[in-house]
Each structure stands twice: as structure tokens, then as C-alpha cells.
Amino acid sequence: MSVPEHTLDRIVIVGGGTAGWMTAAALARFVRNGRTRIDLVESEDIGTVGVGEATIPPIVAFNSLLGLDENEFLRETQATYKLGIEFDGWHREGSAYMHPFGDYGRDVDGIKFYQFWLRLKASGEPVPPLEEFCLSAVAARKGRFARPSPDPRTVLHSMAYAFHFDAGLYATYLRRHAERWGARRTEGKIVGVNQNGETGFIESVTLASGQEIAGDLFIDCSGFRGLLIEGALKTGYEDWTHWLPCDRAVAVPCEATGEPIPYTRATARRAGWQWRIPLQHRIGNGHVYCSAHETDEAARDTLLANLDGRPTAEPRLLRFTTGRREKFWNRNCVAIGLSGGFMEPLESTSIHLIQAGISKLLALFPDKGFNPVEADEYNRLTIMQFEQIRDFLILHYKATERTDSDFWNHVRTMSIPDSLERKIELFRSKGRIFRFEDELFGEANWVSVLLGQGIFPSAWDPILDSLPQDQVRRQASVVHTALHQTAEQLPTHREFIARACAAEPA
Ligand SMILES: Cc1cc2nc3c(=O)[nH]c(=O)nc-3n(C[C@H](O)[C@H](O)[C@H](O)COP(=O)(O)OP(=O)(O)OC[C@H]3O[C@@H](n4cnc5c(N)ncnc54)[C@H](O)[C@@H]3O)c2cc1C
């Protein structure tokens, strides 16, 4: 069968970081019409951002859709499993809570299990912390891991996981597959972007060597610089620094010490927070901070003073402006990755936003006609997703009781978007959360962070009043016992990795 004339002849991906190679792999795998050629241009001299190593559960589906073998992927990227994030010192100094993946307990007659917990807590009954009713959290605390069971009748079915991996190795791994599926890579620095004089559409890019690469569709994966979307198309950027004021990070890997824990740790600091991401061969660390409240030297010192092992490289400074492009798809250019926008890695959402950008692009895949209705829908959906994630991140700062620095005093008392205000008030009333239009973070995520940050509803959902207190207590006890017994029987995280996916020593 011949391929229609309006089918794209050539897609050019600019950039070979995580965004570039995830996009190249997915397009090479799924755009197989015999006509569309996929080219990626990257510059080793410029390099990649080199961070971005903690993920959230949808990455499992992305890898699986590409047909990647999970054990091979873990081996090749020195990866470990991630069952959630522990937030230390966010509610108050010395406090800690887990935001685990997966749900809490088992719902009864459509009533969310966390409502059972709220009722027991509000009635003054001795009930363990909510995290003890989520299998991923219980296993994480015990340092244990197994993949979820496909059988919905089992407790292990409720396990949910993601990965910590080496970002550079992930890009290399994806490159290998993308090239095998037909994507072509050109090494070189782009020095010119050539646009049509009338439509403003991008027609080609020029490399320092003089080579010109033409295309129908351009994917801007050039990182913070947004070479096409901003450099050429002047799309504009919406700055969210007033809500998320951290604007720098200093990152350094250190030697791995002890057992790799199956969760990320995010520890609040004087003017920001520090991440700890355990891989098989090292630990990734970084300190995200607000330059209006902390000097680069102080931020670096704080990071180096709080490492588990010896640093294995020089600390690297990164600057960023939190926000998003006014449009992610402008004319024949789609910005995926850091070129589209950035929110700090507090909930490991950037790589997910790459994956979400790719899925939406495939769902709204254009032809040479570039009907604007497709770009408009892409932008509407992507903007909504960015704003929903933004609100979730702001919650972590706003709902704090810390008063120990100007930074925390500022974020605790700042005004917040109406959308978040409404969400918090609804939860404060009877613990209700609603998920809007494909929202990434669902009830369990919001409940974990709202309660973890010290927001407790004034009442439970009255629909639960139909159940006697005894039944509520019994239900909680049955769930608690089942989760702990299941977690106890799992292999340790280290044992699981050794058996399934141990990497060669680095
Ligand atoms: C401090 C920090 C921590 C982060 N932590 C996490 C995390 O834990 N989890 C998470 O999901 N995400 C995280 N991220 C985000 C994550 O790093 C990025 O989403 C991801 O790496 C994708 O980056 P990218 O590919 O868009 O850009 P980059 O890695 O910067 O790649 C840009 C590419 O464009 C190429 N390029 C640029 N200009 C030119 C040119 N003129 N000619 C040719 N090529 C060019 C470069 O060579 C490079 O290949 C973090 C980000 C930061 C800043």
C-alpha cells in the first residue's frame, strides 16, 4: 500500500538528552509507515543536563510499551526500585512522612479506606500512621521489594513502583534501541534555524559544519535553552517563581554505602531541600535552593556536609526558572523536556512530563497540513497537566509549620493559586479529594502530602456513619495485618536486584 502524500517525510529531533532519546525511541518504534524518517541532532560539546534520576510509576508502562526488557533496562542503567518519597522536615523540623506509590487499604462499598483511618484518628483511637496501610510504604520502610502480583485478589497486587536510574546510561540505552528501530543520529552543533518567511514554520536547521537538516516536524529537546521553541519561534514563558521560588540546584554523586533503600529521600533545608537517590553503583545527591535566601557557597557546603559517602565528582551548579512555555506546540515545533518548562524535582515529574508529551504527540500526530486544532488540543492538555503538578508542588511549601528561616516564612505565608486553595479547603472540611481530567496525582497522592504536611480534616465523610465503629476498627486491623505479613515475606531490595537485575560494577 502506498503511503499518502500528506504523511510527514521527516521529523527532526533537536537534542539527545533524556527527552531527545525517549522521543526518538518512541517515534522510531511507533511511526512505522515506511515514509517518515526520524533524525536526531545532538552536540557532545554542549552535553546534557546530567541530572534527572528519580521517576514515578508510569515510566514502567513507557518502557513496557517500547518493548524493553525491564531486567535488562535495570542492569544497563544501574537502576534500583523506588516505592515512594520520604519527606523529612517538611511539616516541621524533625518530622518525616512517606508519600508512597499505590493506594491505601481496601475501599469498602465505594468508601475510600483513608476515610476509615480519618474516623479512627478523629475518634481518638490508637491507630498507626496512615503510611502503614499502604503496601509500598510498608515494604519501603522494611527495605523489601517484589513486583506487584497481576492477581487483583492478592495483597501484592497493590504494590506500585518506579525506578531510580543513571540518566546518562538511560539515554545511551534508549539510543541503542532507537537506532535499531531506524532513528538516525547526527553529531553537531546547531548554529542556525531557518524559517519560512510567510508562515514562520521551521524548514531546516544549520550545523556548525555547514550541513543543513530539513524537516516537516521539529521536536525541540534542546533543554533549558529552548533553541527552536524560544530561540527561533519566540513563544514566551510563564514564570512561576513567585509560587515555587527555588531557582538553583547543586548536584553531586557520592559513593554508595550500605543497602540501597527503595525510596527517594527529600530533606528540607534552610532555603530549599536536598535529594538523595540511591542507585546500584552510587548515590545521586542534590540541593535545590532559592538564590534570594542562600548563597551558592552555602548551598554547596550544606550538600557536601550531608552526604552518606565520599563525593565521586565535583559539585555542579544548575540554574533554572520554574514555569512553562506559553505554548508547547507552536507551528511545526513541539517542545518536549526542559525546553517546554521546568518544575523542581520534588515529586520526580519531569521525566514523566516527557513521556506524557510523547504520548499526546502520538495521539494527535500531525500530517503535512498541520491542522491547528491538533496543536491547540495538545497545548490545552499539556498546560492543564503542568498546572495540576504545579499546585501539588506548591502544597509541599505552603502547608508547612516551619518558622526557622526567611525562606520558610515566605512560602508559608505566600498566596497560592485559587485551584489549590479550593482543593485544600475541600480536604479540610471532610477529607475529600477529586481528580480532574486525567490528573497525574490522584486521591492517595494528595492525601499523603496533605496529611503529611499537617492538614487534618475537621470531620470524616458522613457517608461512613452508616458503618458501626467496630467494623471500621476491624477493617483497619485486617488491612494492617495483611500488609505487614505480605511485606515480611518479600525479598530485601538488595536480594531482589541481585537475583533479577544486578549491574556490572561501574
Ligand atoms: C536539578 C535538577 C534535578 C532533576 N531531577 C529530576 C528527577 O529526579 N526526576 C525527573 O523526572 N526529572 C528531573 N529533572 C529533569 C530532568 O533532568 C530532565 O527532564 C531530563 O534530563 C530531560 O532533559 P532534556 O533532555 O530536556 O535536556 P538536556 O539533558 O539538557 O539535553 C539537551 C540536549 O540538547 C542538545 N543541544 C542543545 N543545544 C544544541 C545545539 N545548539 N546543537 C545541538 N544540540 C544541542 C544537547 O547537546 C543535549 O543533547 C531534574 C532537573 C534538574 C535541573
Side-chain angles (χ1 to χ4, degrees):
M1 204 180 75
S2 69
V3 183
E5 272 303 305
H6 60 245
T7 300
L8 302 181
D9 285 312
R10 197 160 175 187
I11 302 174
V12 180
I13 299 166
V14 171
T18 306
W21 284 113
M22 281 176 78
T23 308
L27 295 186
R29 177 84 175 75
F30 297 113
V31 183
R32 301 177 80 95
N33 52 36
R35 178 175 195 133
T36 311
R37 170 182 161 151
I38 292 152
D39 280 276
L40 183 145
V41 188
E42 66 175 315
S43 160
E44 267 170 27
D45 284 350
I46 295 176
T48 66
V49 71
V51 281
E53 313 205 308
T55 59
I56 52 176
I59 187 84
V60 177
F62 180 80
N63 284 349
S64 152
L65 267 174
L66 288 183
L68 305 177
D69 176 82
E70 189 168 296
N71 287 339
E72 178 192 82
F73 148 75
L74 279 137
R75 260 195 309 276
E76 300 250 345
T77 61
Q78 295 276 354
T80 63
Y81 287 95
K82 173 179 172 187
L83 295 171
I85 306 174
E86 182 187 68
F87 288 94
D88 287 1
W90 284 79
H91 172 206
R92 303 186 183 122
E93 282 180 275
S95 68
Y97 71 92
M98 177 76 78
H99 169 197
F101 300 140
D103 271 332
Y104 290 105
R106 220 174 244 265
D107 302 349
V108 176
D109 295 337
I111 307 172
K112 290 286 157 190
F113 176 82
Y114 71 83
Q115 285 287 350
F116 286 62
W117 183 88
L118 287 178
R119 174 163 158 185
L120 292 172
K121 189 87 180 155
S123 337
E125 299 227 6
V127 60
L130 184 63
E131 68 170 60
E132 294 204 22
F133 296 90
C134 172
L135 182 61
S136 298
V138 176
R141 293 286 187 208
K142 292 180 188 292
R144 292 179 181 270
F145 180 78
R147 293 192 181 113
S149 156
D151 182 352
R153 292 165 305 179
T154 62
V155 176
L156 194 53
H157 182 71
S158 69
M159 189 83 134
Y161 68 95
F163 312 108
H164 303 120
F165 56 63
D166 182 312
L169 295 177
Y170 186 49
T172 308
Y173 178 65
L174 288 177
R175 174 180 164 187
R176 212 173 66 222
H177 286 279
E179 289 183 326
R180 190 162 56 84
W181 295 323
R184 298 182 214 194
R185 173 187 182 276
T186 304
E187 167 64 34
K189 183 174 174 190
I190 294 169
V191 292
V193 181
N194 312 305
Q195 291 170 259
N196 181 291
E198 271 173 34
T199 62
F201 273 46
I202 298 171
E203 292 182 332
S204 63
V205 290
T206 309
L207 308 189
S209 63
Q211 185 187 351
E212 201 165 303
I213 300 180
D216 302 310
L217 171 66
F218 288 79
I219 316 288
D220 188 345
C221 297
S222 65
F224 285 130
R225 47 180 69 73
L227 199 62
L228 310 185
I229 195 80
E230 199 57 55
L233 296 176
K234 310 278 182 271
T235 302
Y237 195 78
E238 193 172 303
D239 185 335
W240 290 338
T241 310
H242 50 294
W243 286 315
L244 292 166
C246 288
D247 56 356
R248 290 193 191 173
V250 56
V252 73
C254 76
E255 284 174 348
T257 53
E259 298 266 321
I261 53 172
Y263 55 91
T264 304
R265 187 173 288 140
T267 306
R269 299 277 179 232
R270 208 175 64 90
W273 61 280
Q274 182 170 336
W275 80 72
R276 180 190 185 282
I277 300 176
L279 308 183
Q280 291 190 37
H281 62 319
R282 61 167 167 81
I283 299 172
N285 308 277
H287 182 185
V288 175
Y289 59 99
C290 173
S291 63
H293 293 276
E294 187 83 305
T295 64
D296 296 340
E297 293 69 34
R300 184 177 181 275
D301 291 348
T302 301
L303 176 66
L304 293 175
N306 289 286
L307 300 179
D308 287 24
R310 255 183 344 117
T312 54
E314 274 302 303
R316 288 183 49 228
L317 178 71
L318 299 123
R319 293 184 168 83
F320 53 84
T321 306
T322 294
R324 64 162 175 87
R325 291 279 165 231
E326 299 284 351
K327 289 178 185 174
F328 295 85
W329 184 335
N330 187 357
R331 298 185 174 88
N332 62 337
C333 171
V334 181
I336 294 185
L338 297 173
S339 62
F342 181 64
M343 289 176 275
E344 55 178 275
L346 193 50
E347 288 283 354
S348 318
T349 42
S350 284
I351 293 172
H352 177 75
L353 284 167
I354 297 172
Q355 168 182 353
I358 296 168
S359 314
K360 281 193 272 288
L361 176 60
L362 285 168
L364 290 161
F365 202 68
D367 57 26
K368 286 180 190 160
F370 282 97
N371 188 337
V373 78
E374 281 141 17
D376 289 349
E377 186 62 2
Y378 184 95
N379 287 324
R380 189 184 75 80
L381 294 171
T382 311
I383 289 170
M384 189 168 63
Q385 186 163 44
F386 262 71
E387 289 178 351
Q388 287 166 342
I389 293 174
R390 175 201 68 194
D391 283 3
F392 191 53
L393 299 189
I394 297 172
L395 172 66
H396 296 65
Y397 288 103
K398 175 70 182 174
T400 184
E401 290 172 20
R402 288 186 75 123
T403 53
D404 55 301
S405 70
D406 290 348
F407 172 79
W408 289 104
N409 288 335
H410 167 70
V411 293
R412 198 188 64 251
T413 54
M414 69 185 170
S415 64
I416 55 174
D418 292 346
S419 43
L420 176 58
E421 192 85 62
R422 270 197 308 278
K423 214 149 191 160
I424 295 177
E425 285 318 308
L426 192 65
F427 185 76
R428 259 194 227 285
S429 171
K430 297 191 179 58
R432 290 177 178 127
I433 293 288
F434 289 91
R435 188 178 200 154
F436 292 103
E437 286 214 52
D438 215 16
E439 192 172 358
L440 173 61
F441 293 110
E443 274 175 346
N445 308 106
W446 279 90
V447 167
S448 306
V449 177
L450 283 157
L451 290 174
Q453 296 286 147
I455 297 183
F456 203 86
S458 49
W460 60 82
D461 190 334
I463 204 87
L464 192 57
D465 291 342
S466 56
L467 296 181
Q469 184 83 353
D470 246 16
Q471 190 181 336
V472 173
R473 196 181 301 121
R474 220 172 28 249
Q475 173 72 7
S477 160
V478 166
V479 167
H480 191 261
T481 308
L483 293 185
H484 281 74
Q485 281 175 352
T486 302
E488 270 313 323
Q489 287 160 13
L490 304 180
T492 68
H493 185 215
R494 187 198 280 284
E495 282 163 0
F496 191 92
I497 289 173
R499 220 178 294 157
C501 49
E504 295 287 322

